[in-house]
Amino acid sequence: MSKRASSSTSTSINSRGAVLCWHKKPCVVNTSGTEANPGRQFYGCPFWMDEKKNCRFFRWVRMNVDEDKHHDSEIGCSTLNIEESLRLAECKAERRKKEKKLLAEELSRWMKAHEIMLAEGRRVNHEIHVIRALLIVIVVLNLILVILMLHHVIIW
């Protein structure tokens, strides 16, 4: 389903009662698949599948008054006009801004943890090099000890 901009409440209707999109073409009726409005029908541009031709017209199909109030209360508005659509868009933008800030903070924590792990890895790598050097020294000292013991046995 493509994104659509909302229409104002002054939607054009032709002589047969069909809702017209911004192209002045009869709209198609689609069904919402969103969590907020599952199964709710809406009018859309007949060219909705063509990104270049799609005028992004959108208007909910009118239901009975009780259903309409129920859906409107779920999205926090009484009619979908331009001002309310703008308010909803601003609310969504503010929520996304907060989500972006939270994600940035979480990313910062992960990056700090990554830096700590890298530093720990470098420290462990350094310790491994020191241990290898000490093992080489021990092997060399053992060889010297064996040579001295053999030399001592030969002399005696």
Side-chain angles (χ1 to χ4, degrees):
M1 198 174 313
S2 76
K3 297 178 184 172
R4 289 175 169 67
S6 64
S7 68
S8 71
T9 53
S10 60
T11 305
S12 296
I13 299 177
N14 70 9
S15 60
R16 290 182 291 179
V19 176
L20 303 178
C21 73
W22 303 123
H23 296 111
K24 303 295 181 198
K25 302 282 184 196
C27 289
V28 294
V29 176
N30 291 311
T31 303
S32 170
T34 65
E35 264 187 54
N37 295 291
R40 189 171 182 194
Q41 291 187 319
F42 61 91
Y43 296 105
C45 177
F47 305 114
W48 67 275
M49 292 185 76
D50 184 339
E51 282 295 318
K52 291 183 181 177
K53 284 178 139 181
N54 186 358
C55 70
R56 309 257 189 270
F57 178 86
F58 173 90
R59 191 178 108 193
W60 291 116
V61 171
R62 289 299 269 175
M63 299 172 284
N64 68 42
V65 176
D66 291 336
E67 284 183 82
D68 214 13
K69 285 180 182 174
H70 172 72
H71 276 288
D72 292 340
S73 67
E74 284 180 358
I75 60 173
C77 64
S78 58
T79 59
L80 283 176
N81 60 33
I82 293 173
E83 292 83 17
E84 289 176 353
S85 295
L86 178 61
R87 182 179 54 77
L88 285 172
E90 287 171 344
C91 288
K92 285 180 182 177
E94 187 63 32
R95 186 171 54 245
R96 286 192 176 120
K97 191 185 292 185
K98 289 176 183 177
E99 288 172 357
K100 181 181 174 184
K101 182 181 177 188
L102 290 173
L103 287 171
E105 290 170 355
E106 186 174 352
L107 177 62
S108 177
R109 284 191 301 273
W110 279 103
M111 289 175 70
K112 286 177 185 174
H114 178 70
E115 286 299 320
I116 290 168
M117 291 173 81
L118 283 175
E120 180 68 11
R122 286 189 291 270
R123 185 188 65 76
V124 168
N125 195 28
H126 174 72
E127 287 179 4
I128 288 170
H129 286 298
V130 169
I131 291 170
R132 281 185 184 153
L134 289 173
L135 283 173
I136 291 170
V137 168
I138 290 170
V139 168
V140 169
L141 288 175
N142 278 332
L143 285 173
I144 293 171
L145 185 61
V146 167
I147 292 170
L148 287 175
M149 286 173 59
L150 285 174
H151 181 67
H152 182 73
V153 168
I154 295 174
I155 296 177
W156 288 89

